[in-house]
Amino acid sequence: MPGMQSAAMTLMLPAGSATDPDGQSGSATLLSDLVLRGAGSRGNRELTDHLDSLGLQRASSVGVHHTRFSVAAVGPRVLDGLATYGDIVRRPHMPLDGFESARDLGLQALAGIDDEPRQKLLIKLREQYLPWPYGRNNMGVAKELAELKLDDVKKDHANRYHARGAILAIAGNVDVPAWKAAIEQHFGDLASGPAEKIVTKAPPGNFLHEEQKSEQTHIGVAYASIPETDPDYYVARMAVEVLSGGMSGRLFTEVREKRGLCYSVSAGYSSLKDQGSIICYAGTSNERAQATLDCLVGELHRLTEGVTHAELERAKTGLKSATIMQGESTSSRCGSIAHDWWMRGRLRTLDEIKDAIDAVTVDRVNAYLKKHKPGPFTTVIVGPKALVMPA
Amino acid sequence: MPGMQSAAMTLMLPAGSATDPDGQSGSATLLSDLVLRGAGSRGNRELTDHLDSLGLQRASSVGVHHTRFSVAAVGPRVLDGLATYGDIVRRPHMPLDGFESARDLGLQALAGIDDEPRQKLLIKLREQYLPWPYGRNNMGVAKELAELKLDDVKKDHANRYHARGAILAIAGNVDVPAWKAAIEQHFGDLASGPAEKIVTKAPPGNFLHEEQKSEQTHIGVAYASIPETDPDYYVARMAVEVLSGGMSGRLFTEVREKRGLCYSVSAGYSSLKDQGSIICYAGTSNERAQATLDCLVGELHRLTEGVTHAELERAKTGLKSATIMQGESTSSRCGSIAHDWWMRGRLRTLDEIKDAIDAVTVDRVNAYLKKHKPGPFTTVIVGPKALVMPA
């Protein structure tokens, strides 16, 4: 990325919520905190001080398949930090007091979900909709987290912090030969364990009302789409953009602008390797909740009738514009190429994405929508009253 | 910004929450929605469609002094959109149905605050801490918003959507002569009204417990700092960075890592033209709330004893790193230069910021901290139980 001073690194390890050991939900999230509490020659405080002294902005998160450590800073400093990430992954101290502190914070975070009805809705929707264990809450289950022992997570670290299925991506101001040598030095001999085979079970249900005394009702609707690796992927994406891209998206104009039913409504596409999904969300007053759900589901069905040329052109321009802007951020670009490698086993160039968007036609979108009627739906409601799914 | 394909525009109009007409709190926010519902030759739907057809990512927000419209897209498209922003500012249709819909959404958003205890805390803290009317909630007051009439906001539009005190900033891939000509064409004859003089009153109090049944207690503590235009600004900023910059910041290590009291704790600097502020936040379990407040206030007092050389060096590296990364985003850079123009009447270069950070010494920081002891504090608690401010 010429002209950039910054660089970003994304390190994905095969320790996602889906492979948390049975009865130990939340183990990957706990580990992602614990390994940062001292590693290699540095204790807890020294490690944090050292990474901050390099000016590294960093984050860690746990997804379905991976624990992800993300770092961004002025280019050479990111490379300087690599040896320490080698320590974090391979030689964490995992002290008992750090373990107890991380577990306590995890339990607090879980208890706090009741104060965050929107977050609660999205967690419950994934649990209901996705095949188990993909739908697991990455924060874990309070009872299991409370009973976790340090020895359990040490075993889990040995089992899941390895190179098989791990991905390291870099973007921006990077000296590639220097990076290759440093990766070889710090990770070259890292053990390759067998990739864990995930056996899935059917999701638990298709409707849940989670009663909560609140001023707002939070509504989630999910249904299946094609995966990102399907040849029709960009066709399906364009249909979602017509539904909810930009402010001219149908959900925004129909539910929010025209009918004033709620101030927050959206639909988004996401994908696991073998399953794509459309996840819709609306937050609204308790009185308007049923009308909002009716209107939302009505718009999902109306998509089957097709999109217009003008809608598609706006959707294409919007997605290309967003792609160009994300391509100008080293952190975004790094996250994208790590995702590409996981999902496709190769990197898409920005031009390839642009060309693929340009190649989508109204006929292809409308043929796709006719063939892929929306539903069956999984619906979750967080609020004082249950709602009725429209027929 | 060489190498960028994107550009960003920030348009700030002198219609902030502090100048909402008496008895019409929330008028600026309502206007910022209403003016987008049709303008110039385009009705509501046509206007939204047109801006999306240019691929413009856009946002609007209302601060203390300004209503801000932000736009980003591929460079030439942002310029293409300027004429339409001329319409939005100067020739909005402000239809009655759009007014009613915008007012309803505003009332819904206000009601929804009860479901967002963290947001509620920050609103209440500003109300208690800042001189009135700077501390006003930009979302308004439900009773006043409900009684607003279309004629009121039309009058308000005529009074506050003018050029005196307005700022238009652009950054990224911009053709400056073309922009100058277009701005002259669309805004050159825009009326300059007198800048509204704001008379302030003392803040209402220094302690508030907002009772709320919740799993978590949300704690806010605010106190005065020097304004951004003070020659010691970077010295004061460095002290805040030591407190809460990066993960080695004192609040994060003491309150979160060492004592495990909460998973979210931070302090930040913000500034009006004549008053800087330090705003601290912690979200914690109800049982640990008092210990968290004690520990937080203890760290604020401990700053008076001074910072170490190593702490200052980390803080400097962290802030320079963040500055460089923000400087690589056209949207961030555009927001920064608009803010600079408002605050300082000139633009700081990235090198100037870097040099000013480098010039801060431990002696200057420690002399500053000795002279500016923290307090008096304004404290707000949102949660089931009141807490006691430590002596």
Side-chain angles (χ1 to χ4, degrees):
Chain A
M1 297 173 70
M4 293 291 171
Q5 289 188 64
S6 74
M9 174 183 86
T10 299
L11 174 59
M12 289 161 72
L13 298 171
S17 54
T19 52
D20 275 347
D22 273 342
Q24 299 178 10
S25 289
S27 181
T29 296
L30 201 159
L31 259 181
S32 72
D33 177 339
L34 182 57
V35 294
L36 296 170
R37 296 176 183 250
S41 64
R42 295 185 181 90
N44 188 357
R45 184 62 198 261
E46 290 75 32
L47 181 65
T48 306
D49 288 357
H50 174 64
L51 294 173
D52 272 359
S53 75
L54 297 173
L56 304 185
Q57 297 193 346
R58 48 203 194 276
S60 42
S61 63
V62 170
V64 172
H65 291 286
H66 297 98
T67 292
R68 172 192 294 252
F69 296 99
S70 310
V71 178
V74 179
R77 296 294 86 74
V78 182
L79 180 56
D80 291 343
L82 186 66
T84 308
Y85 274 88
D87 286 337
I88 289 166
V89 171
R90 310 181 63 180
R91 287 170 291 275
H93 298 173
M94 302 193 273
L96 180 62
D97 60 344
F99 165 76
E100 286 169 347
S101 176
R103 190 182 55 185
D104 277 2
L105 291 171
L107 287 166
Q108 276 196 53
L110 267 173
I113 294 173
D114 278 328
D115 291 348
E116 307 279 351
R118 181 186 172 139
Q119 189 194 2
K120 187 177 187 176
L121 179 273
L122 294 171
I123 290 170
K124 296 285 171 192
L125 183 60
R126 288 171 54 88
E127 282 179 358
Q128 292 294 311
Y129 165 70
L130 285 176
W132 186 259
Y134 292 154
R136 244 187 204 154
N137 179 2
N138 65 1
M139 298 161 82
V141 172
K143 190 177 173 303
E144 298 180 9
L145 200 53
E147 288 174 359
L148 261 186
K149 301 276 176 294
L150 177 55
D151 275 352
D152 298 329
V153 298
K154 280 190 172 171
K155 254 181 230 150
D156 193 21
H157 173 267
N159 284 335
R160 293 200 290 170
Y161 273 48
H162 55 62
R164 180 84 169 258
I167 294 169
L168 193 151
I170 52 174
N173 174 16
V174 290
D175 173 347
V176 175
W179 268 94
K180 279 190 169 165
I183 292 169
E184 188 58 46
Q185 181 188 345
H186 300 299
F187 293 94
D189 62 331
L190 182 58
S192 288
E196 190 156 351
K197 187 104 179 159
I198 301 178
V199 181
T200 60
K201 288 192 290 188
N206 59 21
F207 187 88
L208 176 75
H209 170 225
E210 181 85 8
E211 200 174 333
Q212 170 137 344
K213 277 186 193 146
S214 53
E215 293 296 321
Q216 302 272 306
T217 296
H218 300 264
I219 300 170
V221 175
Y223 61 100
S225 180
I226 54 173
E228 231 181 286
T229 45
D230 191 288
D232 269 343
Y233 163 61
Y234 289 99
V235 176
R237 263 308 287 278
M238 282 304 124
V240 181
E241 289 291 311
V242 168
L243 193 62
S244 187
M247 291 177 186
S248 63
R250 289 183 180 185
L251 288 182
F252 203 78
T253 54
E254 293 298 319
V255 182
R256 186 187 191 280
E257 296 299 312
K258 215 182 270 180
R259 306 204 34 206
L261 288 169
C262 60
Y263 58 91
S264 178
V265 60
S266 62
Y269 172 90
S270 64
S271 180
L272 298 173
K273 257 195 172 163
D274 49 3
Q275 176 182 356
S277 305
I278 313 287
I279 309 278
C280 310
Y281 166 80
T284 179
S285 68
N286 298 331
E287 302 75 48
R288 301 181 200 206
Q290 184 66 54
T292 299
L293 177 62
D294 293 349
C295 187
L296 168 65
V297 174
E299 286 304 320
L300 299 180
H301 285 301
R302 191 162 72 88
L303 258 192
T304 314
E305 296 165 21
V307 306
T308 68
H309 181 74
E311 282 180 319
L312 179 62
E313 285 308 305
R314 283 199 302 275
K316 289 162 83 163
T317 305
L319 196 60
K320 282 189 286 183
S321 192
T323 303
I324 287 168
M325 280 187 279
Q326 285 158 15
E328 289 179 351
S329 153
T330 52
S331 292
S332 291
R333 188 76 190 119
C334 191
S336 297
I337 63 178
H339 176 82
D340 265 3
W341 193 261
W342 154 248
M343 188 59 78
R344 297 174 172 82
R346 66 180 190 86
L347 308 190
R348 291 172 299 169
T349 64
L350 295 174
D351 279 342
E352 175 187 343
I353 297 172
K354 188 180 156 293
D355 291 346
I357 294 169
D358 280 332
V360 175
T361 62
V362 172
D363 288 347
R364 281 180 70 195
V365 173
N366 290 347
Y368 172 89
L369 288 169
K370 203 162 264 176
K371 197 174 145 202
H372 296 85
K373 298 209 179 351
F377 300 112
T378 299
T379 307
V380 174
I381 313 293
V382 172
K385 280 190 298 194
L387 305 177
V388 179
M389 256 320 255
Chain B
M1 298 174 70
M4 293 291 171
Q5 288 188 65
S6 74
M9 175 183 85
T10 300
L11 174 59
M12 288 161 73
L13 298 171
S17 54
T19 52
D20 275 347
D22 274 341
Q24 298 179 13
S25 289
S27 182
T29 297
L30 201 159
L31 259 181
S32 72
D33 177 339
L34 183 57
V35 295
L36 296 169
R37 295 175 184 253
S41 63
R42 293 184 182 93
N44 188 358
R45 185 61 198 260
E46 290 76 32
L47 181 64
T48 306
D49 287 359
H50 174 64
L51 294 173
D52 273 359
S53 76
L54 297 172
L56 304 186
Q57 296 194 346
R58 48 205 194 276
S60 42
S61 63
V62 170
V64 172
H65 292 285
H66 298 98
T67 292
R68 173 192 293 252
F69 296 99
S70 310
V71 177
V74 179
R77 296 294 86 72
V78 181
L79 181 55
D80 290 344
L82 186 66
T84 308
Y85 274 88
D87 287 338
I88 289 166
V89 171
R90 311 181 61 180
R91 288 170 290 276
H93 298 173
M94 303 193 273
L96 181 61
D97 60 344
F99 165 77
E100 287 168 347
S101 175
R103 191 181 53 186
D104 278 3
L105 291 173
L107 287 166
Q108 276 196 54
L110 267 172
I113 294 174
D114 278 328
D115 291 349
E116 305 279 351
R118 182 186 171 139
Q119 190 193 2
K120 187 178 187 174
L121 171 87
L122 294 171
I123 290 169
K124 296 285 172 192
L125 183 61
R126 287 172 54 88
E127 282 179 357
Q128 292 294 311
Y129 164 70
L130 285 176
W132 186 261
Y134 293 153
R136 242 186 207 156
N137 179 3
N138 65 0
M139 297 160 84
V141 173
K143 189 177 174 303
E144 298 180 11
L145 199 54
E147 287 175 0
L148 261 185
K149 301 277 177 292
L150 177 56
D151 276 351
D152 298 328
V153 299
K154 280 189 173 170
K155 255 181 231 149
D156 193 21
H157 174 266
N159 284 335
R160 294 200 289 170
Y161 274 48
H162 55 62
R164 180 85 169 256
I167 293 168
L168 192 152
I170 52 173
N173 175 16
V174 290
D175 173 346
V176 175
W179 267 94
K180 278 189 170 168
I183 291 169
E184 188 58 46
Q185 183 188 345
H186 301 299
F187 293 95
D189 62 332
L190 181 57
S192 288
E196 189 156 351
K197 186 105 181 160
I198 301 178
V199 181
T200 60
K201 287 192 290 189
N206 59 22
F207 188 89
L208 176 75
H209 171 224
E210 180 86 9
E211 200 175 332
Q212 170 138 343
K213 278 186 193 147
S214 53
E215 294 295 321
Q216 301 271 308
T217 296
H218 301 264
I219 300 170
V221 175
Y223 62 101
S225 180
I226 55 174
E228 232 182 285
T229 45
D230 191 289
D232 269 344
Y233 163 61
Y234 289 99
V235 176
R237 262 313 284 280
M238 282 305 125
V240 181
E241 290 290 312
V242 168
L243 194 62
S244 188
M247 292 176 185
S248 63
R250 289 184 181 185
L251 289 182
F252 204 78
T253 53
E254 293 297 320
V255 183
R256 186 185 190 279
E257 297 298 314
K258 215 182 269 180
R259 306 207 31 208
L261 288 169
C262 60
Y263 59 91
S264 177
V265 60
S266 61
Y269 172 91
S270 63
S271 181
L272 297 173
K273 256 196 173 161
D274 50 3
Q275 176 183 356
S277 305
I278 314 287
I279 309 277
C280 310
Y281 166 80
T284 178
S285 68
N286 298 331
E287 301 77 47
R288 300 181 202 207
Q290 184 66 54
T292 299
L293 177 62
D294 294 348
C295 188
L296 169 64
V297 174
E299 287 304 321
L300 299 180
H301 285 302
R302 191 161 73 87
L303 259 191
T304 313
E305 297 166 20
V307 307
T308 67
H309 181 76
E311 282 180 320
L312 179 62
E313 285 308 306
R314 284 198 302 273
K316 289 162 83 165
T317 305
L319 197 59
K320 283 189 286 184
S321 192
T323 304
I324 287 168
M325 280 187 278
Q326 284 158 16
E328 289 178 351
S329 153
T330 53
S331 293
S332 291
R333 187 78 190 118
C334 191
S336 296
I337 63 178
H339 175 81
D340 265 3
W341 193 262
W342 154 247
M343 187 59 78
R344 296 175 173 81
R346 66 181 191 85
L347 309 190
R348 290 172 299 168
T349 63
L350 295 175
D351 280 339
E352 176 188 341
I353 297 172
K354 188 180 155 294
D355 291 345
I357 294 170
D358 280 332
V360 176
T361 62
V362 172
D363 288 347
R364 282 180 70 194
V365 174
N366 290 347
Y368 173 88
L369 288 170
K370 202 162 265 178
K371 197 174 143 202
H372 296 84
K373 297 210 179 353
F377 301 113
T378 299
T379 307
V380 174
I381 313 293
V382 172
K385 280 190 297 191
L387 305 177
V388 180
M389 257 320 255

